[in-house]
Amino acid sequence: MTAAPEPAGAPAPVLVADDLIAGYLPGVDILNGCSMSVAEGELIGIIGPNGAGKSTFLKALFGLVPVRSGSVTLGGEDITNRRADQLVRMGVGFVPQTNNVFPSLTIMENLEMGAFQHHKSYHEQFDKIVELFPVLGERRHQRTGSLSGGERQMVAMARALMMDPKVLLLDEPSAGLSPARQDETFVRTREINKTGVTVIMVEQNARRCLQICDRGYVLDQGTSAYTATGKELLKDPKVIELYLGTLGA
Ligand SMILES: Nc1ncnc2c1ncn2[C@@H]1O[C@H](COP(=O)(O)OP(=O)(O)OP(=O)(O)O)[C@@H](O)[C@H]1O
Ligand SMILES: [Mg+2]
């Protein structure tokens, strides 16, 4: 499957993945032709069953899984298989699904790690982020290992934001959180997006994700099956049957 041409007058695509084939082990492809195009300022949701390759897809975008064929471009520039640290400098932020904070370091130290190659002053960026996550400012000297799951997820997101990314990749930010904390994660993600950051979010909470995203992609067996607006996908009988259950009705 290749990326569909953009309709005339649509915002310019900022990140485009075209027909990606990628995998971890020689001869075993996990992504079998995955395509996606994200316009500047868009919030994209990726849903799909466990093992579909959602995390692999984000890792392939971020240079952490070798892309065997196909391409990734950022603002028109080919970034296929570019190293993660280079991508960070080019304005891509990534919050992995697991192990996304340094538990023995304090909140403030975690954020300092996030800003290690930033050109702007650390304090300026820190103040901006504390406005989004006030609790992180109040607890700045607490070790992240002693935070709740939801608070830790905030630290992980805040750390990625320290580099002032243009595009933020989030892998299941609401996983393992209580319903109230899950909700907060979605609200924060939308807020971050409203500040002008383009967001690609993988989510297991398909219903909530589709409610807040501009457009969703369904990923199945390593292939991006289809895309539509979040609202359309919420009403799609196949999506309801497979991902939303009776809650979607
Ligand atoms: N490091 C790895 N080495 C080899 N295979 C892997 C590795 N990580 C993932 N896989 C395999 O790749 C496939 C896709 O995994 P991936 O983690 O991308 O799925 P996912 O859609 O993110 O699932 P989930 O919803 O459970 O997070 C799975 O079959 C998995 O076993
Ligand atoms: Mg995953």
Side-chain angles (χ1 to χ4, degrees), residues 60-61 63 65-68 72 78-84 86-87:
L61 295 181
V65 175
V67 173
R68 292 173 182 152
V72 186
D78 192 332
I79 56 156
T80 318
N81 291 323
R82 196 69 70 87
R83 280 200 335 250
Q86 294 173 343
L87 293 174

Side-chain angles (χ1 to χ4, degrees), residues 66-130:
V67 173
R68 292 173 182 152
S69 129
S71 69
V72 186
T73 57
L74 179 71
E77 184 176 345
D78 192 332
I79 56 156
T80 318
N81 291 323
R82 196 69 70 87
R83 280 200 335 250
D85 63 310
Q86 294 173 343
L87 293 174
V88 168
R89 240 174 283 142
M90 291 176 80
V92 185
F94 176 46
V95 181
Q97 187 168 355
T98 50
N99 302 325
N100 52 21
V101 294
F102 299 100
S104 62
L105 302 183
T106 66
I107 291 177
M108 202 156 172
E109 288 162 346
N110 264 276
L111 299 192
E112 277 167 17
M113 297 289 285
F116 75 103
Q117 44 180 4
H118 199 278
H119 54 281
K120 273 199 207 159
S121 87
Y122 162 79
H123 294 287
E124 189 184 317
Q125 198 61 9
F126 184 82
D127 291 346
K128 219 167 103 184
I129 280 162
V130 163

Side-chain angles (χ1 to χ4, degrees), residues 101-112 122 126 134-156 181:
V101 294
F102 299 100
S104 62
L105 302 183
T106 66
I107 291 177
M108 202 156 172
E109 288 162 346
N110 264 276
L111 299 192
E112 277 167 17
Y122 162 79
F126 184 82
V135 70
L136 299 188
E138 291 156 23
R139 309 250 197 109
R140 63 184 74 187
H141 299 302
Q142 188 171 337
R143 281 189 208 290
T144 48
S146 64
L147 296 173
S148 74
E151 290 160 351
R152 224 174 303 165
Q153 203 56 252
M154 279 189 220
V155 175
R181 286 298 199 178

